[in-house]
Amino acid sequence: MNNMRVRVAFVLLAGLLPAAQELCAQDNAAPLRAREAARMEVLQRIAPTVVCVMAADGQGGGSGVLISADGYAVSNFHVTSACGHFMKCGLNDGRVYDAVIVGLDPTGDVALIKLLGRDDFPFATPGDSDQVQVGQEVMALGNPFLLAADFSPTVTYGIVSGIHRYQYPANTFLEYTDCIQIDASINPGNSGGPLFDIQGRWIGINGRASFEKRGRVNAGAAYAISVRQVLLFVDHLKCGLIVDHGITSFTTATADDGRTLVSQVSEVSEAWRRGLRPQDELISFADRSIGSANDFQNILGIFPEGTRLPLTWRNPMGVQSATIRLQPLHAFQDVPQLPGEKPSRPDEPQELQLDELAPAAKVPDALAGLFEERSGFANYYFNKLRTRELLEPLQASLRSGQPAAADAAAATSPPARPTWILQLTAAGNTADQPAAAAAELVVGEAGAGYSIGNRDWYQPAKQPVPENEPPSLYGLLTAALQWQRLLTHTDAAFDEVVAQGQVRHLPSGQVVRVLLTREGTRTARWYFADGSPLPVGVDVQFVEGADEARVMFADWQTTAPPGVPWPERIGVIQADSEQITWLRVSGLEVRQPDQKQAASASGPPAPAAPASTRPSPATTSSSGATP
Amino acid sequence: MRRIGLSLSRSLLLAGGTGLFAAASVTVAEPFTQAVTGTTPAAIQLPAAAGTSAADTTGRSMARSQLETAQQSVVKLFGAGVGNLDSYGSGVLISPEGHVLTVWNHLINTGYLTAVTHTGRRYAVRVVGTSRDHDLAVLQLQAEPDQKFPHIDLSRSVEADAGASVMGFSNMFHVATGNEPVSVVHGTIAIRAPLQAGQGRWQLPVKTPVLIVDAVTNNSGAAGGLLTLTDGTPVGLIGREIRQQDSQTWVNYAVPLTTLAPIADGIRSGRPPEPAAASTAPPPQLSDRQLTARFGITLLPNVVERTPAWIDAVASNSPAAQAGLRRGDLIVLLDDDVIASVTDVQQQLAARRPGQRVSITISRQQQLLSVELRIP
């Protein structure tokens, strides 16, 4: 009996002991298991967003990441340039999707493509790459060495080794600015793929690595384009453009004492006109402080050309500030070719290209319409789409007031524009006009005029020059001439109309879409905010070496008379101060051109058939008189 | 137009001389660069308030303050490079007065060493002492007497073992210039063992155990960097890029600071380092008379322990004269071998056979030049 009990006790005890040991081990491993479980859960969420990018014949390629449910995906330019206009993309559901090139940023090595066939693609959620810190854990997903036969991405783990890193162009135009340096294993095939933080937020695009003595395999230092830079370009890329980076019209150098000084300033530049001079000390650019010339380059490198950015600097008279528009860096007309890359120094970082691919296979017929070749564009088809998205609501809001005949203007050269007469009130806070006063703005085919009191100014439409603008309302007349063109004949009034992405408008701070129009030597950038078919502003570059006309429109009135929408307020942006001088518009009178007058096309036409309105608070319907 | 600013910045860096940099810090983007987003559903989400840990989850975290201290204790070293030699490296500050620990490399002898700290400020550097047996040099930044530098305390270094999580701090691939922080990588100590490895003619002289790391800590520019545990405790001085003798594979190693600390202390206090335990017969060397007679070179009299190899006279029509050597030249390198003294010249030339061509790198009037000499 005793024996039995002891044996049973022994068996029971023996059964317990291993469990007890396991329990101890579990306690030590519990935090590690929790981390692992969290990591695996994150990977479940993000792995479906990673794209294996391949040329149409299935050869070679790299990686990419989906950024929206309709199929837009980001990769590297050096990946897609080897693939042609159409490519094949594998996702970790094992399926292959067709994709078409949308937009390119060759200098920044970014490409936007669109996967086709679904409107519910899983997509990555961006984090804030400016919040990334050294030492933080990251995960890189992609297709190094093309290992993923089933397109499930390879995952590598590491930490952030450095931030705001600058990578010199290595015998190509590719320049990586403000990048995130990581020690996660990055190899050829990872290019274009996403970098995630440990919570699964997309923070970068892997594209370069330092290769040296160990050959073209991971050596512990790789570089990712920051998601902030990618997002500053993505709307330009969606417009099918070859997007350029920007330069300033001044150069910088780090002085011995650590200050960043201006070396040279172009005397015909906006910066010069705002007072920037050599030896001035730069303080901040795009709201980021400048610690060195390298910092300046890093800040500059993340913006598309044409972006207007704030700049502050110190000169003997104190701290100055202004905004300047970035000029094009390369002005690519066509997609540039990447030379076979040979770095000049063995330890300079290199792209993670796989070996050259066979030429692109035949484009599937069903997709051919999604690509349109045109000089200056990565894929003109998408620019047409984006331009239509801006023009159609605009045209609809114009049609609501106009007689049907005006619509027929599109096909043939448009008829002469009517004359507009706007009654304005100038607020009177300028030096040469201290008190509020009534003013008149007249805009017609031949030119525009502004009169207040016994002074007036006239700007001819053919050759507007800065000297003709009223000093305290510089740009009003040139902008008005462009504005009349846009609202009378929309795209038919211009030589070229191009959708140009999105920017932050200065000084208002609004996020706006940009429509660029060209008429003669005048380039106008029209700004459209969400929710309004009519522009919130326009900047017109009309004479090289002179300030742009910068005007804003607010409180558009679209009641049927006078047949064209008009803004209740017009703001003129003062270049030196970035202050807005607002004019209140009390009414717009439209005078149709006389046929005879139209033929001679000189001077403002005599009033023939006025269809005018001067709305007073009590009036709700038209009070037009017919002759 | 756009790159002028950068090249000026780099050339200022390499020009040597002392300079004062204001402590500059780069603040991260403020509202203007908030990305412009349109109709894509992907909107910028700011993360939850960043904690003090460098990693977001437990286990491998390193407190931000410790990480910054470690980064600030590593300086970026620059010198004039020639041919395929690195023109940069790393070093670890070990005292508030600016003493720096680094590997004993060719930069030491050129005389053009500049150190750049985390503030971006440049300092001239003087060599306090070296120990070839430990592949070690102790330098000091030339600074104002009351200047205090962030540094690591060598007495706090510990013995680390296989399995320990470590962080490496160095200027690998010369990514950091000016006030940019050095790069940080993570890894694990794979083993602590004696290492037989080298590169070209150079063999790692350290015979005591070193730390082998499973991460690529040793890259161009990383030698002289700092290896720490994840709590910031210093453990090693990152070594060179060398290959293990038998497998000829690249090996990432760091010399334990517990090994180097007494040597460094000795150098700083003026005591010569311990001689190597097992001494072999001294290598053959040419005498002064042989140098003059065969080569036409007369060097400075070898009166102190390490007399620099200054050329005092060059006989006309001699091999040295034909090669282009002149009085006043300082011999710095013979092929890839660093020349630290007259003795080095005597030994290195004795090791060459007649007819061989040797590349001699000299320092002449602040410039490094290479000439070719045919061994007579």
Side-chain angles (χ1 to χ4, degrees):
Chain A
M1 203 51 187
N2 261 355
N3 252 358
M4 192 64 125
R5 213 175 278 160
V6 169
R7 221 173 279 144
V8 166
F10 179 77
V11 166
L12 282 172
L13 207 57
L16 279 172
L17 276 171
Q21 280 169 354
E22 213 178 83
L23 205 57
C24 291
Q26 269 172 2
D27 280 339
N28 289 341
L32 289 173
R33 295 235 172 89
R35 284 182 65 223
E36 184 183 62
R39 206 159 52 223
M40 288 165 65
E41 187 273 329
V42 166
L43 284 167
Q44 290 264 354
R45 269 196 290 120
I46 62 179
T49 70
V50 182
V51 182
C52 295
V53 179
M54 298 162 288
D57 57 6
Q59 298 295 311
S63 310
V65 61
L66 284 156
I67 63 167
S68 60
D70 51 357
Y72 286 104
V74 175
S75 180
N76 277 146
F77 166 67
H78 76 263
V79 169
T80 60
S81 68
C83 291
H85 302 135
F86 287 90
M87 49 218 100
K88 298 282 189 191
C89 292
L91 297 185
N92 82 335
D93 60 2
R95 291 170 54 185
V96 176
Y97 298 85
D98 285 305
V100 66
I101 192 76
V102 177
L104 295 172
D105 164 19
T107 307
D109 199 13
V110 178
L112 186 74
I113 63 177
K114 189 165 197 275
L115 273 65
L116 308 162
R118 270 171 77 173
D119 58 4
D120 64 345
F121 285 105
F123 58 92
T125 306
D128 183 352
S129 49
D130 276 5
Q131 301 289 324
V132 165
Q133 293 178 310
V134 175
Q136 192 175 324
E137 295 170 292
V138 291
M139 293 191 288
L141 275 72
N143 198 9
F145 305 120
L146 303 187
L147 291 167
D150 61 352
F151 312 125
S152 66
T154 299
V155 183
T156 54
Y157 160 95
I159 65 168
V160 174
S161 301
I163 53 175
H164 304 305
R165 293 305 207 201
Y166 177 83
Q167 293 297 301
Y168 295 86
N171 288 342
T172 68
F173 46 80
L174 298 177
E175 192 175 4
Y176 273 43
T177 58
D178 216 36
C179 34
I180 304 170
Q181 181 190 347
I182 58 175
D183 72 352
S185 187
I186 297 292
N187 283 294
N190 269 116
S191 279
L195 183 70
F196 292 95
D197 66 16
I198 206 70
Q199 280 115 359
R201 288 179 290 233
W202 169 42
I203 57 171
I205 293 288
N206 306 307
R208 290 180 80 127
S210 285
F211 297 140
E212 201 211 51
K213 300 185 173 71
R214 301 161 204 247
R216 286 179 72 92
V217 290
N218 168 58
Y223 310 93
I225 305 163
S226 72
V227 80
R228 175 142 298 182
Q229 177 178 333
V230 174
L231 292 177
L232 285 167
F233 276 77
V234 83
D235 292 290
H236 286 69
L237 296 169
K238 281 189 179 173
C239 291
L241 301 167
I242 303 173
V243 191
D244 204 353
H245 282 240
I247 51 168
T248 54
S249 306
F250 57 91
T251 55
T252 61
T254 311
D256 281 349
D257 58 6
R259 294 179 309 146
T260 309
L261 301 183
V262 176
S263 313
Q264 301 162 1
V265 188
S266 160
E267 290 180 21
V268 296
S269 70
E270 199 174 5
W272 180 272
R273 293 194 293 275
R274 300 288 82 79
L276 192 72
R277 295 289 181 274
Q279 299 310 300
D280 286 350
E281 177 193 350
L282 295 178
I283 301 172
S284 77
F285 185 45
D287 292 332
R288 273 168 66 170
S289 27
I290 301 173
S292 65
N294 272 13
D295 281 351
F296 182 79
Q297 211 67 352
N298 264 341
I299 299 167
L300 177 63
I302 69 172
F303 293 99
E305 68 95 1
T307 309
R308 184 170 280 281
L309 295 169
L311 179 75
T312 63
W313 69 96
R314 185 178 290 121
N315 64 13
M317 292 179 304
V319 175
Q320 317 294 334
S321 67
T323 68
I324 51 159
R325 189 184 295 287
L326 298 184
Q327 301 304 307
L329 169 59
H330 289 297
F332 295 118
Q333 264 308 104
D334 296 294
V335 180
Q337 292 302 312
L338 275 172
E341 240 214 308
K342 259 192 160 40
S344 54
R345 294 176 51 170
D347 58 0
E348 275 183 359
Q350 304 174 29
E351 277 66 56
L352 303 158
Q353 253 167 319
L354 291 160
D355 294 326
E356 273 325 290
L357 315 160
K362 192 175 178 315
V363 171
D365 287 331
L367 304 179
L370 296 171
F371 177 81
E372 190 176 329
E373 178 90 46
R374 182 147 154 170
S375 177
F377 295 88
N379 184 348
Y380 186 59
Y381 167 81
F382 282 93
N383 199 273
K384 285 201 308 201
L385 266 187
R386 300 275 110 78
T387 304
R388 271 211 299 274
E389 277 169 13
L390 292 174
L391 285 178
E392 275 169 8
L394 175 67
Q395 285 160 342
S397 70
L398 298 177
R399 269 196 296 275
S400 58
Q402 275 181 356
D407 293 338
T412 58
S413 102
R417 290 187 290 286
T419 300
W420 292 353
I421 302 164
L422 293 97
Q423 302 305 323
L424 312 170
T425 311
N429 47 9
T430 59
D432 53 337
Q433 195 228 302
E440 193 175 77
L441 174 65
V442 179
V443 192
E445 176 92 21
Y450 175 76
S451 55
I452 182 166
N454 56 0
R455 286 167 297 152
D456 52 69
W457 294 266
Y458 180 75
Q459 182 73 277
K462 279 218 165 58
Q463 292 292 342
V465 292
E467 293 73 30
N468 292 336
E469 295 286 334
S472 56
L473 296 170
Y474 176 85
L476 175 66
L477 299 176
T478 301
L481 287 165
Q482 296 289 312
W483 153 32
Q484 191 189 52
R485 280 178 174 266
L486 182 75
L487 259 53
T488 313
H489 298 300
T490 67
D491 55 329
F494 299 99
D495 305 327
E496 197 185 341
V497 178
V498 175
Q500 278 246 326
Q502 278 194 142
V503 291
R504 185 174 297 276
H505 178 265
L506 292 182
S508 69
Q510 296 177 82
V511 170
V512 291
R513 285 183 206 230
V514 183
L515 189 74
L516 188 127
T517 60
R518 285 209 174 85
E519 173 266 316
T521 57
R522 270 77 51 194
T523 302
R525 289 178 167 87
W526 303 92
Y527 303 115
F528 293 87
D530 271 349
S532 169
L534 293 153
V536 299
V538 65
D539 292 343
V540 188
Q541 178 65 45
F542 57 110
V543 169
E544 210 172 305
D547 283 336
E548 294 175 347
R550 294 168 64 199
V551 163
M552 294 176 64
F553 309 106
D555 305 328
W556 285 97
Q557 301 297 314
T558 50
T559 50
V564 65
W566 53 276
E568 252 189 357
R569 291 192 299 142
I570 301 173
V572 177
I573 300 168
Q574 305 292 339
D576 282 325
S577 63
E578 288 290 299
Q579 300 289 328
I580 309 169
T581 302
W582 287 102
L583 301 165
R584 193 155 278 285
V585 182
S586 44
L588 167 63
E589 182 191 327
V590 178
R591 293 187 188 168
Q592 296 301 335
D594 191 37
Q595 284 304 87
K596 235 174 20 164
Q597 295 289 58
S600 68
S602 63
S612 71
T613 183
R614 305 218 175 173
S616 57
T619 314
T620 51
S621 59
S622 146
S623 54
T626 49
Chain B
M1 209 179 181
R2 153 172 227 203
R3 297 195 188 116
I4 291 176
L6 269 168
S7 57
L8 269 176
S9 166
R10 283 180 72 79
S11 63
L12 277 173
L13 207 52
L14 295 173
T18 55
L20 289 177
F21 281 88
S25 64
V26 178
T27 64
V28 173
E30 284 167 29
F32 187 80
T33 53
Q34 267 168 27
V36 172
T37 57
T39 54
T40 56
I44 293 276
Q45 291 171 21
L46 293 178
T52 52
S53 284
D56 289 316
T57 57
T58 61
R60 300 180 79 92
S61 56
M62 187 171 194
R64 179 132 316 278
S65 56
Q66 284 162 359
L67 186 140
E68 279 169 6
T69 303
Q71 275 187 307
Q72 292 174 9
S73 303
V74 177
V75 297
K76 306 173 276 280
L77 292 172
F78 295 92
V82 177
N84 62 351
L85 300 172
D86 297 334
S87 64
Y88 49 83
S90 307
V92 180
L93 283 159
I94 55 171
S95 78
E97 296 84 35
H99 290 92
V100 168
L101 207 64
T102 186
V103 298
W104 189 102
N105 67 15
H106 61 279
L107 292 178
I108 307 296
N109 259 35
T110 60
Y112 305 128
L113 215 47
T114 304
V116 181
T117 61
H118 74 284
T119 61
R121 190 167 154 174
R122 289 178 293 130
Y123 296 88
V125 167
R126 79 174 181 98
V127 180
V128 177
T130 62
S131 165
R132 272 228 217 182
D133 293 337
H134 300 89
D135 194 26
L136 178 68
V138 177
L139 317 173
Q140 189 177 19
L141 274 47
Q142 310 286 68
E144 286 85 52
D146 55 347
Q147 174 135 20
K148 296 276 167 274
F149 291 95
H151 61 283
I152 60 141
D153 183 355
L154 278 181
S155 66
R156 276 188 57 230
S157 57
V158 298
E159 300 273 340
D161 246 320
S165 294
V166 291
M167 307 283 266
F169 299 83
S170 75
N171 195 14
M172 53 164 66
F173 298 114
H174 77 292
V175 176
T177 61
N179 66 349
E180 292 148 13
V182 295
S183 300
V184 183
V185 300
H186 80 290
T188 308
I189 294 180
I191 191 170
R192 189 164 171 272
L195 176 65
Q196 289 197 312
Q199 178 66 353
R201 254 190 284 267
W202 188 84
Q203 291 295 305
L204 180 68
V206 178
K207 300 305 167 202
T208 48
V210 299
L211 307 168
I212 311 283
V213 185
D214 74 340
V216 190
T217 46
N218 299 30
N219 276 309
S220 294
L226 176 66
L227 198 73
T228 72
L229 300 179
T230 52
D231 64 2
T233 309
V235 295
L237 190 73
I238 294 175
R240 309 183 190 222
E241 293 170 281
I242 57 177
R243 296 181 199 254
Q244 200 277 337
Q245 189 176 72
D246 302 318
S247 64
Q248 282 298 300
T249 51
W250 297 104
V251 59
N252 296 289
Y253 75 98
V255 182
L257 287 173
T258 48
T259 307
L260 298 177
I263 313 296
D265 288 341
I267 292 173
R268 282 177 57 191
S269 56
R271 283 179 280 117
E274 299 281 342
S279 54
T280 54
Q285 64 187 64
L286 299 175
S287 67
D288 293 336
R289 189 184 298 277
Q290 285 171 315
L291 264 184
T292 308
R294 279 180 66 194
F295 294 83
I297 298 173
T298 306
L299 299 174
L300 279 191
N302 197 1
V303 294
V304 299
E305 189 183 294
R306 285 180 188 273
T307 308
W310 292 100
I311 297 182
D312 202 21
V314 175
S316 48
N317 297 321
S318 64
Q322 278 156 15
L325 293 171
R326 297 188 207 155
R327 177 169 200 262
D329 288 348
L330 172 70
I331 300 178
V332 171
L333 295 162
L334 280 174
D335 289 331
D336 282 349
D337 295 310
V338 183
I339 300 299
S341 65
V342 168
T343 311
D344 285 347
V345 175
Q346 293 167 325
Q347 287 175 0
Q348 289 294 339
L349 288 179
R352 268 46 172 205
R353 297 186 309 279
Q356 264 187 307
R357 288 183 192 281
V358 63
S359 162
I360 304 183
T361 305
I362 49 153
S363 168
R364 176 188 299 164
Q365 287 163 5
Q366 314 288 332
Q367 297 256 358
L368 286 179
L369 305 166
S370 274
V371 302
E372 199 182 69
L373 178 78
R374 196 169 164 278
I375 305 290

